[in-house]
Amino acid sequence: MSSIPEFAELLADAGKSAVHLEMRDAYFSNPRFESWQRGQRVDWDDRASWWRPFHQDIADAIARGVQVRRARIVSEPVTDYIRWEHYQTRANVETGEEVRWLPRHRAWDLLLPGSDLWIFDGRLIRVHHFSGDGGWISKELCDDPAVVEQHAAAFEKIWDRATPHDQYEVK
């Protein structure tokens, strides 16, 4: 597929589910992470200061009945980036997204996809490719039913083993 729709468009087209798998211990840096590293914290009572279009897209999908789940596979002890992600996951939870964490040492016997991805309605995968230092490289779509089924099954095994966000403590 030569023209890949933006995430918001793919999510808007989802009718039942959107699942996200993240497997990196660090991604490209960004101003919010850098602010957190300097000790600045989110004022969770000031929603306008942290609510972004992405959060609204997720909240809108959930309001339509789409179940949105995110699983993160992380090395322990966690990197600063993952510590920050854990902190800011409150925003994801506030949208209604379900988030779980799986320590990498508890995933060793699972067959894992090679890249981060989203799966929409169990029929379409959006794959994310990153460089070794966490920089964004590219994205691609896959709608091959056998490949989607394989990745969806892998996500469910990860999900079943992972710890809900409110119970996972970063180490």
Side-chain angles (χ1 to χ4, degrees):
M1 296 181 185
S2 59
S3 177
I4 298 175
E6 291 302 317
F7 170 77
E9 184 179 338
L10 293 170
L11 185 60
D13 288 343
K16 297 180 295 188
S17 66
V19 301
H20 187 54
L21 178 61
E22 296 179 5
M23 297 185 295
R24 298 187 53 85
D25 288 318
Y27 294 85
F28 55 92
S29 193
N30 64 62
R32 291 180 297 136
F33 173 54
E34 293 162 5
S35 293
W36 180 85
Q37 286 182 303
R38 291 190 302 273
Q40 296 175 356
R41 296 299 179 255
V42 173
D43 178 357
W44 294 110
D45 293 330
D46 180 12
R47 183 173 157 170
S49 71
W50 57 267
W51 192 263
R52 302 203 175 345
F54 170 82
H55 299 121
Q56 191 60 54
D57 292 340
I58 297 292
D60 291 346
I62 291 168
R64 288 193 326 271
V66 176
Q67 182 183 34
V68 181
R69 297 180 295 158
R70 177 185 308 256
R72 291 182 170 135
I73 298 176
V74 297
S75 299
E76 290 179 331
V78 300
T79 62
D80 278 348
Y81 195 94
I82 295 301
R83 192 172 303 283
W84 169 72
E85 276 196 334
H86 187 270
Y87 167 76
Q88 64 84 33
T89 294
R90 178 172 172 178
N92 301 79
V93 172
E94 295 269 340
T95 70
E97 184 177 340
E98 298 174 64
V99 180
R100 291 189 181 180
W101 302 80
L102 181 60
R104 197 171 308 281
H105 70 271
R106 292 190 49 229
W108 71 268
D109 60 336
L110 299 175
L111 296 177
L112 303 175
S115 297
D116 288 13
L117 54 84
W118 279 90
I119 304 173
F120 299 95
D121 289 335
R123 62 173 178 74
L124 179 68
I125 301 174
R126 177 175 146 157
V127 181
H128 296 172
H129 300 290
F130 296 92
S131 63
D133 65 0
W136 177 260
I137 294 178
S138 65
K139 60 190 172 194
E140 65 181 284
L141 293 181
C142 175
D143 61 1
D144 178 318
V147 174
V148 174
E149 181 180 329
Q150 195 175 38
H151 285 73
F155 180 88
E156 292 305 324
K157 288 179 186 273
I158 293 162
W159 185 258
D160 289 345
R161 191 173 291 185
T163 303
H165 175 70
D166 63 348
Q167 296 172 28
Y168 180 73
E169 294 183 27
V170 291
K171 297 175 184 173

